[in-house]
Amino acid sequence: MGFLGAGLIANYHSKSLRGSGTPAIWSAVFDPEPARAARFAEKTGALLARTEDEVIEASDAVYVCTWTSEHPRLVARVATAGKAVFCEKPLAIDLAGARAMTEAVQTAGVVNQVGLVLRHSPAFGMLRALVADTDAHGQPMSVVFRDDQFIPIQGHYGSTWRGDVARAGAGTLLEHSIHDLDLLEYVLGPVVSVAAMTSNRHGIPGIEDGAVLTLRFANGALGTLVSVWHDVLERPSLRRVEVFSERCLITVEGDWFGPVTWQATGRAEQRASEAALEDAARARGAVLGNPDGAFVTAVAAGQPAWPTFADALRAHELADAAYRSAASGGAPVDTAEVNR
């Protein structure tokens, strides 16, 4: 497993990979900041590569963990070399780039996975299973989704590139809430229209720090997504989700181990967290597990990974529709208008 980029997110995936217990070797690492690459190499035993090509040549699979604007170029190089690729989210700074990347990995026929890791979480696996139980809970009616994080140009992220629109593409909606757009369709099904407004309190050109979306789903449900980058450094990145079905309220607090609570008609409120949540989600058929371990397993078996670039492309389509709505003053955009 090779790494292009050796920053915070590369170290996150490296630790996750080690914790997965899957048999993997850290082959090589390259970063434009040599000192950062050297620290990563010392911790992992990876070869300290002099070029990107050295990493690709030394590896069966490559993690692309750079700033977003570099993703299309690097993914194309990895795919052209016939190597499996894991790309951190978002895929690209715009929809055209995300489409090109998806086409590149599909044309090359390589195993590909994107860092929409919350699809593997017990909390959202449980939420999806409870929403899908329409016999017991009725049809979903509405969802309220809040995602907040301190703006990551500061604090332990210290990510100056996220304040540069040329490298990041946009702000909280694309860079952070691409997860949320993916999860909303994963849990509730296709979005048919979206209306959005954005704000910019920090005054960084092109980098919105607030977004509010109103969504209509194909099944008739309505939803809101509030995404905000604030300055409360003492507060970790947090998500809270409430889904009302006809006969059940489901609440998620904490995006991995919950807790998740649900109360159905005629039943006392139920609550699960940590190991109990994972067991309960698996019992309801949720697909869980370490996303990095799943990638290694897919590469070793030559089988499709999950979620793929094609899955991530749909989230980019929704983000593009939201930005177009915001640019028009908040008019709804029919997602069928997205040129897929």
Side-chain angles (χ1 to χ4, degrees):
M1 313 302 289
F3 282 79
L4 296 174
L8 181 69
I9 198 64
N11 279 274
Y12 165 83
H13 285 297
S14 180
K15 291 176 182 177
S16 174
L17 189 58
R18 192 176 301 281
S20 73
T22 52
I25 297 171
W26 282 248
S27 53
V29 59
F30 175 82
D31 191 285
E33 293 187 18
R36 190 160 59 189
R39 290 193 295 270
F40 186 94
E42 183 177 1
K43 286 189 291 186
T44 63
L47 169 71
L48 184 58
R50 295 168 297 178
T51 66
E52 296 159 352
D53 286 340
E54 281 189 22
V55 174
I56 296 170
E57 292 167 5
S59 308
D60 298 308
V62 177
Y63 277 80
V64 175
C65 297
T66 63
W67 50 77
T68 306
S69 63
E70 282 285 85
H71 290 177
R73 179 182 70 84
L74 293 174
V75 164
R77 293 181 76 163
V78 175
T80 299
K83 304 297 179 73
V85 59
F86 185 112
C87 185
E88 185 47 41
K89 60 77 198 164
L91 287 178
I93 64 172
D94 55 27
L95 180 56
R99 284 181 175 142
M101 294 169 69
T102 303
E103 182 178 350
V105 296
Q106 290 176 341
T107 299
V110 297
V111 175
N112 61 92
Q113 187 171 325
V114 68
L116 294 173
V117 297
L118 292 179
R119 284 204 185 198
H120 292 258
S121 92
F124 284 106
M126 186 65 171
L127 175 63
R128 185 172 189 257
L130 289 167
V131 170
D133 189 1
T134 55
D135 288 343
H137 302 147
Q139 294 294 325
M141 299 174 64
S142 66
V143 56
V144 179
F145 197 128
R146 187 206 68 211
D147 187 351
D148 76 279
Q149 180 187 43
F150 63 77
I151 189 167
I153 58 174
Q154 58 187 325
H156 68 272
Y157 295 102
S159 178
T160 55
W161 66 264
R162 286 186 171 89
D164 179 356
V165 69
R167 292 191 286 178
T172 185
L173 181 59
L174 178 66
E175 169 55 33
H176 191 59
S177 282
I178 197 77
H179 280 297
D180 310 329
L181 293 171
D182 177 62
L183 288 168
L184 280 162
E185 282 208 333
Y186 180 60
V187 171
L188 286 156
V191 172
V192 295
S193 72
V194 58
M197 294 183 292
T198 60
S199 62
N200 188 331
R201 290 282 184 176
H202 289 86
I204 305 172
I207 305 296
E208 82 282 353
D209 48 29
V212 178
L213 278 60
T214 303
L215 308 108
R216 182 180 295 276
F217 295 84
N219 58 18
L222 301 175
T224 60
L225 168 63
V226 175
S227 179
V228 59
W229 274 351
H230 48 72
D231 291 301
V232 188
L233 272 67
E234 296 78 9
R235 182 177 174 83
S237 176
L238 291 172
R239 289 177 171 88
R240 178 182 170 88
V241 185
E242 294 176 310
V243 176
F244 277 92
S245 291
E246 292 171 305
R247 298 187 298 278
C248 190
L249 166 62
I250 312 153
T251 304
V252 175
E253 295 183 78
D255 55 22
W256 199 265
F257 285 119
V260 175
T261 59
W262 63 103
Q263 183 159 23
T265 302
R267 300 287 299 273
E269 182 179 86
Q270 300 180 73
R271 178 184 176 94
S273 60
E274 299 291 340
L277 174 59
E278 189 165 3
D279 290 342
R282 288 187 189 279
R284 288 178 175 264
V287 179
L288 308 178
N290 181 299
D292 295 284
F295 178 57
V296 173
T297 300
V299 173
Q303 296 178 347
W306 175 80
T308 65
F309 281 38
D311 296 316
L313 177 58
R314 178 55 183 167
H316 276 271
E317 291 172 347
L318 296 178
D320 181 75
Y323 283 123
R324 288 192 286 121
S325 172
S328 73
V333 172
D334 187 338
T335 58
E337 295 177 2
V338 177
N339 180 16
R340 300 181 65 184

